[in-house]
Amino acid sequence: MSRIAGWVLLVLALVVSYRPAEAAQAKKTQAQKTRVAVLRPEGRQADALRRVLTQEFGKKGRGREVLPAKKVDAQVKRIRGGPKTDAQRQALAKKLGADVLILASVKGTKRWDVEVRAYSGKDGTLLAEEHWDVRTNRAFPDVRRELEPKLGAALKAGPEQRLPPAAVTPPTPVSEPEVAPPTPIAAAPHPAVVKPPPPTMKKEEPLVEPEPKAAGLRNLDGPILEALLSGQGLFRRFNFSGSNANALPDYSLNSAAAASFSVSYFPLSHFTDGMVHNLGIVARGSRALGLSTRLPDGSEYGTTAQLLEGGLRLRLPLPWLEVSVGALYGTHSFAVELPPESTFAMPDVDYRFAHVELGLRKALTERWAIAARVGYQHVLSGGELSSDDYLPKLSGSGLDGELAVEFALTRILGLRLGGELRSYSFTADAAEGAPVFAGGAKDLYFSGQLGVYLRL
């Protein structure tokens, strides 16, 4: 009986001694895990990319522990603009107790440019970085598949960098030679593995830091070429004014189809980065398609209506608004092909004018923008309207305005919807008491536009 009791006591002793050892082993394994902090990436797909990084880095069996996102974000908010220097990354890692910091970005619209960088939690230096040019897919299959093979090895250095401060401190007392026997502790600090990254990565870091801001500032220069091709719905109202106005015919065009174009080119952008590279040339025009005029007697005649103007444009791209001013010369004509024997007293117009304008463009979001333009025309001649048969000593001016909304389909291609109004006013500077055909005239045009624009 006493022998059985002895065996029972021996088994109990073994079980009791095994449990603490097992718990100690588990604690040791947990302590050796690489603590990874995944910061919120830059870009519109930040949350989707962060989810992929967290899942891949935190998979079981890889010896890592990914810190909670809320804990990481709370510490990052205290750093204005996020950690950008080695010292800031080192301080952030110390507060989080992280061995490795993961910073990432995703940019682009048609294809996504993904960049992932791993920084050391010990000194904030760059351990490794990788780039992917992938198709738009919120699951990031290419990144998910290649993340571990490309960056996994760099993350293994994390815990080894964390151990030396705790393990190496005991050897500091030099006066005690008897401490030499614990040679295993001296062998544990294997920081020789951590040595390769610092010298090489210090040189690469300056290239990583400035890249996001450099790209952002360059975008303020604006595109070198802007082109717009659109279809129009055209309307016109023409009438005489003065004492004889009631006896003279008016002209009303309720609807007509037209095509228009607009091109702005900044050639100096190829040669200089100074203010002068924002000086460019601009050309615009429109022409009615299949237009005809029906007279009161029921007869129809072909009609042409077109606008052409060109000149210089200077733009001033600001961070929140683009302003531009232009100086142009143009012609605007509207003619009905009446036979010589016709008695219909409606003059053909062919305005020649000098045009100054002010333009504004505001980007509301990454895809939506609004544009506006106002201008003044000093009319130099009016074609048949300024002949001896109508208003021989004619003086006139014009005002125009445009308002449009733009939607970007890609980085360079988009849709534009808007409307444009042009109004001309003329007076006959006849001598006192001289017979006049009319005191003046007004000519009003309105067009609605839908087109496709290109920016390069």
Side-chain angles (χ1 to χ4, degrees), residues 266-297:
F266 299 86
L268 297 178
S269 297
H270 297 290
F271 310 108
T272 177
D273 285 334
M275 182 62 186
V276 71
H277 83 281
N278 282 316
L279 179 64
I281 54 178
V282 58
R284 285 195 293 265
S286 66
R287 185 177 177 88
L289 305 173
L291 179 60
S292 62
T293 297
R294 176 174 292 181
L295 300 185
D297 61 5

Side-chain angles (χ1 to χ4, degrees), residues 115 147 163 199 223 309 332 361:
E115 179 180 349
L147 190 64
L163 289 175
E309 56 183 342
H332 192 177
R361 185 178 184 274

